[in-house]
Amino acid sequence: MKLVKRLLVGLGVALLLGFAILQWVLPGQVESSMNVNLSHDTYTISPQAQQLHDSLFVADLHSDSLLWKRDLRKRSEIGHVDLPRLRQGNVAVQVMSAVTKSPKGQNYDRNRADSDNITMLAIASLWPLRTWDSLYERAAYQLEKLHDLAADNEIEIITSKSEMLDFVARRDAGETVVASVYLIEGAHPLEGNVENLDRLYQDGLRIAGLTHFFDNELGGSLHGITGAGLTGFGRDVVQRANELGVIIDIAHASPQMVSDVLDLSSAPTILSHGGVKGACDSARNLDDELMREFAAKGGLIGIGYWNGAICDDTPAGVVRSIRYAVDLLGIDHVALGSDYDGSVAVRFDTSELAILTQTMLDAGFAEEEIRKVMGENVKRFLLQNLPDE
């Protein structure tokens, strides 16, 4: 009997230990191996650059921070974004993305849609059971996490022009409040039903990517198998997004899909995170001619900070891609699109964004150019393209 009792106690301890590892250790280890902060010397920021940076309206078009099991209210040594680091970097608007499916061995060249890494991450992070087999519920749950931050007065969720106007006025008055706009990275969580776009819209969705690393019901991914354009369902989603005032994100879309969207959409689009092929000849980037068409339709690209998008992840490398994009597309069509916490390695996290201001000054950017790229273009785009109310 004593032996049985000891075995039961030992089993209980083992189960508790396993639960503790699953709950508190494993998710952090997974994230720290994927959202890497590359080592670097402390950046030197001149008084002139810091003063300018502190006066900017800074906005970033893409981070995947909601995916991870981390309390974004607290500063962390893991990952790239949390509320304390956003405030230190003087970020006004951080677009938060929901990743809902990611294929095994994801790469920029060719991925099938028949595998998924996010399922195991959702289980290991103890997401609600409903998310384990539903892409829609994964998107809805990550939006709930953003609403929880808003309920704690840690962040504001912007869903309309009027809310954006009020937020800008408060920032202009000196408040350090941070706002977010919610994005789905790929529209596969709609699960083939355009009514799910309306459901997510009602809860706060305002930007919709069409594809991610694989082809889906809407059409072809830049990294998929078919290279296809918009399907009939894809066209329905774009048209319904236009009606609702949901901004279309063409990041990860195949060239044919991008062309189809530009022909069909009645509203400008964004490319929330990426680069330009003329500056970085990567399979992650669209060619310059297509990017000119995108800009001619009012598009706005967020330049990323990782090697796959810019071929040089140093601050100078980021700024070179920004300069190339400005010269190619015009100053009004270029913004920041970090892809922070998106399984990338970067040389600076969001608390260190003043190094971009410093590096742009060093590269001869005019103050107006810096202000537009660092956030004024995003501010204008949202004020022009969000729903009225």
Side-chain angles (χ1 to χ4, degrees):
M1 192 67 181
K2 289 183 178 179
L3 178 60
V4 172
K5 186 176 181 180
R6 287 173 184 167
L7 288 173
L8 289 173
V9 170
L11 179 60
V13 170
L15 288 173
L16 287 173
L17 181 60
F19 178 81
I21 291 173
L22 183 67
Q23 175 79 340
W24 293 294
V25 178
L26 183 59
Q29 288 183 338
V30 170
E31 185 185 359
S32 63
S33 70
M34 300 183 75
N35 296 327
V36 178
N37 288 293
L38 298 168
S39 61
H40 59 80
D41 294 334
T42 301
Y43 294 120
T44 299
I45 310 299
S46 69
Q48 176 195 8
Q50 190 65 60
Q51 182 179 24
L52 174 58
H53 187 80
D54 291 343
S55 73
L56 300 176
F57 184 97
V58 180
D60 177 8
L61 284 172
H62 197 101
S63 79
D64 294 332
S65 309
L66 296 172
L67 180 63
W68 308 98
K69 188 177 180 61
R70 187 154 44 86
D71 186 349
L72 297 180
R73 297 169 300 178
K74 300 177 181 179
R75 179 180 290 273
S76 177
E77 297 301 315
I78 298 174
H80 311 132
V81 169
D82 50 49
L83 269 299
R85 284 185 281 180
L86 285 168
R87 295 187 187 102
Q88 185 177 345
N90 191 35
V91 177
V93 174
Q94 177 64 65
V95 174
M96 293 281 192
S97 164
V99 178
T100 56
K101 182 176 176 178
S102 177
K104 292 180 180 178
Q106 69 177 39
N107 60 80
Y108 291 152
D109 297 315
R110 185 179 176 87
N111 297 276
R112 296 174 59 87
D114 55 0
S115 63
D116 176 32
N117 292 322
I118 304 301
T119 299
M120 289 307 301
L121 182 63
I123 294 171
S125 300
L126 298 183
W127 284 14
L129 187 61
R130 70 181 193 272
T131 68
W132 294 9
D133 62 354
S134 170
L135 303 187
Y136 173 83
E137 293 295 347
R138 292 177 191 177
Y141 175 63
Q142 289 176 74
L143 182 51
E144 288 171 17
K145 291 171 74 173
L146 186 58
H147 277 291
D148 288 343
L149 290 175
D152 290 340
N153 296 316
E154 294 287 346
I155 202 165
E156 294 192 6
I157 303 174
I158 300 295
T159 62
S160 68
K161 293 175 183 176
S162 59
E163 289 176 352
M164 187 66 184
L165 279 169
D166 178 69
F167 173 75
V168 169
R170 292 169 60 195
R171 290 287 302 195
D172 289 344
E175 292 189 38
T176 58
V177 62
V178 179
S180 184
V181 182
Y182 180 71
L183 178 156
I184 51 172
E185 187 154 21
H188 30 276
L190 301 184
E191 297 180 337
N193 184 354
V194 74
E195 292 180 1
N196 282 333
L197 181 66
D198 290 67
R199 293 172 66 192
L200 288 171
Y201 174 85
Q202 290 300 321
D203 290 334
L205 174 72
R206 291 299 181 269
I207 306 175
L210 301 179
T211 59
H212 197 197
F213 274 93
F214 53 93
D215 303 335
N216 62 19
E217 302 97 330
L218 291 88
S221 165
L222 184 59
H223 328 292
I225 304 296
T226 67
L230 283 171
T231 63
F233 177 64
R235 297 179 70 85
D236 290 344
V237 170
V238 170
Q239 290 172 328
R240 184 57 180 154
N242 286 167
E243 292 167 0
L244 291 170
V246 173
I247 296 162
I248 296 296
D249 179 10
I250 62 165
H252 295 289
S254 71
Q256 186 58 58
M257 177 181 268
V258 172
S259 293
D260 290 348
V261 170
L262 295 180
D263 289 341
L264 177 64
S265 179
S266 60
T269 61
I270 66 169
L271 195 161
S272 65
H273 59 305
V276 280
K277 210 168 188 68
C280 175
D281 189 7
S282 163
R284 177 63 176 79
N285 296 331
L286 298 168
D287 66 50
D288 287 11
E289 181 179 354
L290 187 54
M291 290 305 300
R292 286 193 191 98
E293 295 177 27
F294 160 80
K297 295 291 183 73
L300 180 64
I301 180 174
I303 299 297
Y305 308 160
W306 77 102
N307 267 332
I310 56 172
C311 295
D312 176 1
D313 57 27
T314 65
V318 178
V319 169
R320 276 195 294 272
S321 278
I322 290 172
R323 180 80 268 170
Y324 185 92
V326 167
D327 291 344
L328 178 71
L329 308 175
I331 187 61
D332 293 330
H333 301 282
V334 183
L336 305 180
S338 65
D339 200 21
Y340 277 150
D341 294 331
S343 300
V344 295
V346 297
R347 294 281 174 188
F348 51 92
D349 70 12
T350 195
S351 70
E352 302 172 288
L353 282 177
I355 188 55
L356 286 185
T357 303
Q358 178 70 68
T359 307
M360 282 193 275
L361 280 174
D362 293 343
F365 278 66
E367 180 177 322
E368 181 183 9
E369 291 179 311
I370 294 172
R371 289 189 180 278
K372 286 189 172 186
V373 170
M374 292 294 286
E376 292 292 334
N377 284 339
V378 172
K379 179 202 295 184
R380 170 186 49 79
F381 192 94
L382 293 177
L383 287 171
Q384 291 176 346
N385 293 289
L386 285 171
D388 291 333
E389 297 294 340

